[in-house]
Amino acid sequence: MTQERLSAILEEPIFEAKDWSAEIVSNATLADLDELAIAKARVMFKKVHSRIPAEEVNAWSVPVFKLRPAVVEVTWTLRNEHQEVVDYEHFTAPFILTVDQILGKIRNLTMRELPGGTLFPDTMKQYDDYTIREALHNAIAHQDYTLQQRINFVENPGYLYYENGGSFIPGTLQKALATKGPQRHFRNECLCRAMVNFNMIDTVSRGIKKMFNEQWRRHFPMPDYEIDTLNNEVGVKIYGNTINETYTKLLKENNSLTLEDCILLDAVQKGHRISENNVVSLMEKGLLEGDITDYHISIDVAKKTRQLPEYTRNKGLDKAKIQQMIIQYLQNAGSLGAKRDGIFDYLKEVLPQNKTQEQQERMIGNILSEMKEIGLIHPKGRTWFLKS
């Protein structure tokens, strides 16, 4: 068996035939159902199924089922910039009512920005209404309720975070974005069908892709999906402001980008690694430059989108200039010399900022070794001196 085939098999999600959301609750009666939730469900059902006469829907009897296992809760938490909990509240079924209450907790600020060539600012809400609802509805629809866990909905400065228990049904985010038809399997088939009838979700797998398109349209960072197969959890981060202004300018000024381009460039801006094939593809389009292991936004793109300061900061000074700074530093140190840690502290602000500290330290070590080889400096123990 090839490694590619093995990986494909391991990525296939495992589904149980049992549909938790369709289980009958023993001893449940009509008295257990929320009358207001039933009334709202009728209104929403009639909107989705407009071909069915309203009088017919009004005449239907109340469904005899109750969505309330041991744990059916969404916990909203508000955190400050230090990740300290400022406020929280638990919400439970009927979610057809409580979803609005949960979303009403969000401080969805109005943002203003000045587009080029005008003094009149564009205004928009910090979070797109469709995106924040879709992410929460997905968490409710696809939660593995047999795990007896709450759905977490955390409001942070600048982003919202959703987390639910259970595997990611499509397997990978790439599969979810690339799908051309409805999802073939649902963890909670009965629940999902009910939510479709009330216009809370769809079952044609367009929701996630639409969330990405909405963030692209608003020139905001793409959603981050955290698929934890080990702990059987799925997390989603929705950004409500820009992370890197250079990326935002790139989206605004380059109309030839595809959604895939935007997702890959977004990953680069966030410091995430992308595959070699994707790096090569973006380089061929002139969007990245460097090499397979060390890449950054292209200088051409940087010039077009006024990103030159950020580009220079990420790339760092040329090696020759760094060598000159080391020579100057050792001249100032005189007979005392300088240890490698001191040299690194002196140079760290001019080193490539898109590298980790370990990579920066390795870079300085290599430069010191090269300078030693050509006779510019020499070490005594752990201290470096200019060659006399």
Side-chain angles (χ1 to χ4, degrees):
M1 181 181 298
T2 66
Q3 183 61 42
E4 183 179 358
R5 178 58 182 156
L6 178 61
S7 298
I9 293 174
L10 293 176
E11 286 181 2
E12 282 293 323
I14 299 173
F15 298 96
E16 296 181 1
K18 185 177 180 180
D19 180 3
W20 171 88
S21 63
E23 288 293 300
I24 300 298
V25 180
S26 60
N27 302 319
T29 69
L30 291 176
D32 295 310
L33 301 177
D34 187 293
E35 293 182 3
L36 182 59
I38 295 170
K40 183 170 182 179
R42 288 186 189 274
V43 172
M44 297 174 71
F45 185 92
K46 286 184 284 188
K47 287 182 179 179
V48 176
H49 301 278
S50 58
R51 295 182 180 180
I52 302 176
E55 297 77 13
E56 182 179 342
V57 177
N58 292 336
W60 289 347
S61 62
V62 176
V64 186
F65 72 91
K66 175 184 171 186
L67 182 62
R68 191 184 294 273
V71 178
V72 179
E73 285 188 348
V74 175
T75 297
W76 165 80
T77 307
L78 175 65
R79 293 180 180 269
N80 61 21
E81 62 275 12
H82 304 297
Q83 286 296 291
E84 298 167 338
V85 175
V86 177
D87 197 4
Y88 71 93
E89 189 170 345
H90 302 296
F91 298 85
T92 187
F95 287 137
I96 195 172
L97 297 178
T98 55
V99 161
D100 286 339
Q101 298 172 19
I102 299 167
L103 296 178
K105 289 287 186 179
I106 299 174
R107 298 171 299 177
N108 199 358
L109 306 177
T110 298
M111 304 183 68
R112 294 174 174 82
E113 62 172 327
L114 288 173
T118 178
L119 294 178
F120 299 97
D122 286 336
T123 61
M124 63 180 176
K125 289 295 185 181
Q126 191 175 11
Y127 300 105
D128 169 64
D129 184 66
Y130 174 87
T131 300
I132 60 178
R133 283 181 176 275
E134 178 70 12
L136 182 56
H137 288 166
N138 280 347
I140 293 171
H142 303 303
Q143 164 88 337
D144 186 346
Y145 291 95
T146 64
L147 297 175
Q148 302 294 303
Q149 297 177 357
R150 293 186 178 93
I151 296 169
N152 287 319
F153 178 35
V154 186
E155 182 180 353
N156 299 274
Y159 69 93
L160 303 175
Y161 184 74
Y162 307 75
E163 184 182 57
N164 67 275
S167 60
F168 188 61
I169 304 297
T172 66
L173 179 60
Q174 290 72 24
K175 288 183 180 179
L177 293 172
T179 184
K180 294 180 174 61
Q183 178 67 39
R184 291 180 296 174
H185 306 280
F186 296 97
R187 179 175 291 111
N188 307 309
E189 180 77 21
C190 180
L191 173 61
C192 288
R193 296 299 175 190
M195 293 180 74
V196 168
N197 286 336
F198 304 143
N199 202 29
M200 297 177 74
I201 61 170
D202 65 53
T203 55
V204 293
S205 301
R206 67 178 180 180
I208 292 177
K209 190 170 184 178
K210 187 174 180 180
M211 288 166 55
F212 275 77
N213 278 316
E214 285 298 319
Q215 291 294 91
W216 179 16
R217 180 183 64 82
R218 290 157 57 84
H219 307 127
F220 273 18
M222 296 294 172
D224 283 340
Y225 271 74
E226 300 172 1
I227 302 171
D228 188 339
T229 54
L230 182 63
N231 295 309
N232 211 19
E233 294 175 347
V234 178
V236 184
K237 181 186 289 188
I238 306 295
Y239 292 87
N241 58 13
T242 58
I243 295 177
N244 189 320
E245 190 175 343
T246 60
Y247 173 72
T248 304
K249 290 179 179 178
L250 176 58
L251 296 191
K252 288 182 178 180
E253 300 185 19
N254 192 323
N255 296 324
S256 65
L257 297 175
T258 65
L259 176 60
E260 184 180 6
D261 292 335
C262 294
I263 293 172
L264 293 174
L265 287 169
D266 178 63
V268 173
Q269 292 293 313
K270 292 171 182 173
H272 301 163
R273 303 299 299 178
I274 61 177
S275 72
E276 289 188 8
N277 289 339
N278 288 329
V279 173
V280 171
S281 175
L282 292 179
M283 285 181 174
E284 289 175 348
K285 294 178 182 179
L287 299 173
L288 292 183
E289 68 176 23
D291 57 46
I292 297 298
T293 59
D294 183 13
Y295 46 84
H296 42 266
I297 254 186
S298 167
I299 182 63
D300 292 333
V301 175
K303 287 178 180 177
K304 291 176 183 176
T305 58
R306 303 181 183 89
Q307 298 180 49
L308 198 54
E310 181 71 11
Y311 167 84
T312 303
R313 191 175 75 88
N314 283 335
K315 187 175 182 181
L317 291 182
D318 293 336
K319 188 190 338 184
K321 293 179 180 178
I322 293 176
Q323 289 177 342
Q324 287 299 317
M325 290 182 69
I326 292 174
I327 290 173
Q328 183 63 55
Y329 187 69
L330 294 179
Q331 283 179 343
N332 295 339
S335 60
L336 296 176
K339 295 188 180 297
R340 179 168 159 175
D341 289 347
I343 296 173
F344 175 77
D345 288 338
Y346 173 64
L347 295 170
K348 62 184 178 182
E349 295 300 326
V350 300
L351 298 176
Q353 298 302 298
N354 58 357
K355 292 182 180 292
T356 65
Q357 181 171 328
E358 182 181 355
Q359 290 172 323
Q360 291 176 336
E361 289 176 344
R362 190 182 303 119
M363 177 182 177
I364 292 302
N366 292 336
I367 292 176
L368 290 173
S369 296
E370 289 179 15
M371 293 177 70
K372 173 189 173 185
E373 291 297 322
I374 60 178
L376 293 175
I377 60 176
H378 67 98
K380 288 183 180 179
R382 297 190 176 186
T383 305
W384 291 87
F385 299 86
L386 278 177
K387 197 84 168 183
S388 54

